[in-house]
Amino acid sequence: MPAVLSVRDLHVAFFTYFGVVRAVNGISFEIQANETLGIVGESGSGKSVTATAVMGLVEPPGAITGGFARLGEVDLFFLPEKQWAALRGERMTMCFQNPSRALNPVLRIGEQIDRVYRRHRNEASKQDAWQHAVHLLKEVNIADAERVMTRFPHQLSGGMCQRVMIVMALMCDPTLLILDEPTTGLDVTVQKQLLALLRNLRGTSDASQWLITHDLGVVANLCDRVVVMYAGQIMEEAPIDVLFSQPRHPYTCALLESIPQVNVRNQLNPIPGNVPEPLHLPSGCPFHPRCKHVMDVCRTVNPEFVVFEQGQRACCHLYAQQGDRDV
Ligand code: SF4
């Protein structure tokens, strides 16, 4: 069975007045049927740009400058814009960060869901759309779904807006659901409810989920596999239990060490230094200015992937003599 999404050697750049910002630099990954893949990394690592490229939403001065993305059997980057747009909202959907801003403030929720649904289902009546939306709102634990359909976004909480966005994304029964920072800005209780909802969706929806987050706790809760990104490149990829039990890449290790422990006071371990400016990426391994294992070779040569057992791979000179090369 082909992967639901296959991305190969993707490059995305922004041609700004100050120079070329290379936001994504040759990344490759796949998402399988019924799988939840997490892409994790700090702000500016290229996670969201990767998703907008797959969705066909990179706007000038940005451009996809290399690689390909295949949704099932369809080569997205070779599609005419009209056909690509037809897939958005139907076969692949994206819930953007900050749902209260992503929703149209002057349209009632029911009208917004109706527009998305009937754009792709021309034959559907308003009544069909309404019934389907109410059904899905109840599935995402909104008890008074009919009332919510008549509300404006500002009348709903952040958690409710996030659920509405998920319903809009699921209306056409997509094969791929992209969730960009789904829990950001929500309080802890609502975050917990949302994570439970997303887990539950895996049983009720056929959509594979692609989760973009900086929060390893969210990843641990939801994902089957994780891709760790830094400065537009993949540093490591592994099944979730392998990543947490045996992280290989120094950046992954630093990310895991930086998670605050509730029962340990005064012990924060932030990663030293800052994410590099995308306009001035370091030579060699992009993580070398912050890496405590840095060697001379790291400053000049960007490492290749080394493949380990259990589907783990890491891009680091520390493992140059181990594993298999991933070409
Ligand atoms: Fe650190 Fe070198 Fe590995 Fe980069 S390649 S993560 S600098 S050890």
Side-chain angles (χ1 to χ4, degrees), residues 249-251 285 287-288 291 293-295 298 303 315-318:
H249 197 283
Y251 178 58
C285 167
F287 188 56
H288 87 250
C291 179
H293 303 287
V294 62
M295 303 171 282
C298 308
C315 188
C316 175
H317 288 301
L318 287 178

Side-chain angles (χ1 to χ4, degrees), residues 21-222:
V21 174
R22 300 192 192 284
V24 178
N25 298 305
I27 69 166
S28 303
F29 63 94
E30 289 187 342
I31 303 178
Q32 307 297 333
N34 302 115
E35 182 182 46
T36 300
L37 176 83
I39 294 199
V40 70
E42 294 165 280
S43 300
S45 58
K47 329 180 278 294
S48 299
V49 176
T50 303
T52 48
V54 167
M55 291 290 286
L57 296 174
V58 176
E59 291 188 347
I64 295 164
T65 51
F68 71 82
R70 199 170 277 153
L71 185 73
E73 302 289 351
V74 181
D75 272 317
L76 295 172
F77 299 169
F78 294 100
L79 283 181
E81 170 50 32
K82 210 171 162 190
Q83 288 179 31
W84 202 348
L87 295 177
R88 286 196 289 271
E90 186 176 34
R91 285 191 58 195
M92 55 179 180
T93 51
M94 182 162 173
C95 294
F96 293 92
Q97 278 187 53
N98 200 338
S100 0
R101 279 210 215 139
L103 290 166
N104 187 328
V106 297
L107 285 181
R108 293 179 195 277
I109 297 300
E111 179 67 26
Q112 299 194 46
I113 299 178
D114 176 79
R115 284 189 182 191
V116 170
Y117 186 57
R118 293 203 297 141
R119 181 164 168 237
H120 297 283
R121 298 276 191 277
N122 302 332
E123 75 288 358
S125 64
K126 260 188 173 298
Q127 198 189 9
D128 291 339
W130 180 277
Q131 283 173 351
H132 191 33
V134 167
H135 167 73
L136 285 178
L137 284 169
K138 288 182 176 163
E139 291 245 313
V140 298
N141 298 329
I142 296 183
D144 49 354
E146 284 87 355
R147 191 178 64 87
V148 167
M149 290 281 279
T150 64
R151 298 283 153 171
F152 290 99
H154 73 269
Q155 295 174 302
L156 305 180
S157 67
M160 290 274 256
C161 285
Q162 188 61 278
R163 283 160 199 251
V164 166
M165 287 292 292
I166 290 170
V167 165
M168 286 172 86
L170 292 175
M171 282 295 282
C172 293
D173 205 11
T175 54
L176 179 64
L177 171 63
I178 306 173
L179 299 140
D180 191 358
E181 302 282 5
T183 56
T184 301
L186 303 178
D187 67 49
V188 181
T189 315
V190 181
Q191 276 188 23
K192 210 170 154 196
Q193 290 168 352
L194 192 73
L195 292 178
L197 161 69
L198 292 173
R199 257 197 316 274
N200 190 38
L201 271 183
R202 298 182 54 168
T204 56
S205 155
D206 289 334
S208 298
Q209 293 180 19
W210 170 1
L211 192 74
I212 297 165
T213 180
H214 63 279
D215 187 337
L216 281 163
V218 172
V219 165
N221 252 291
L222 287 178

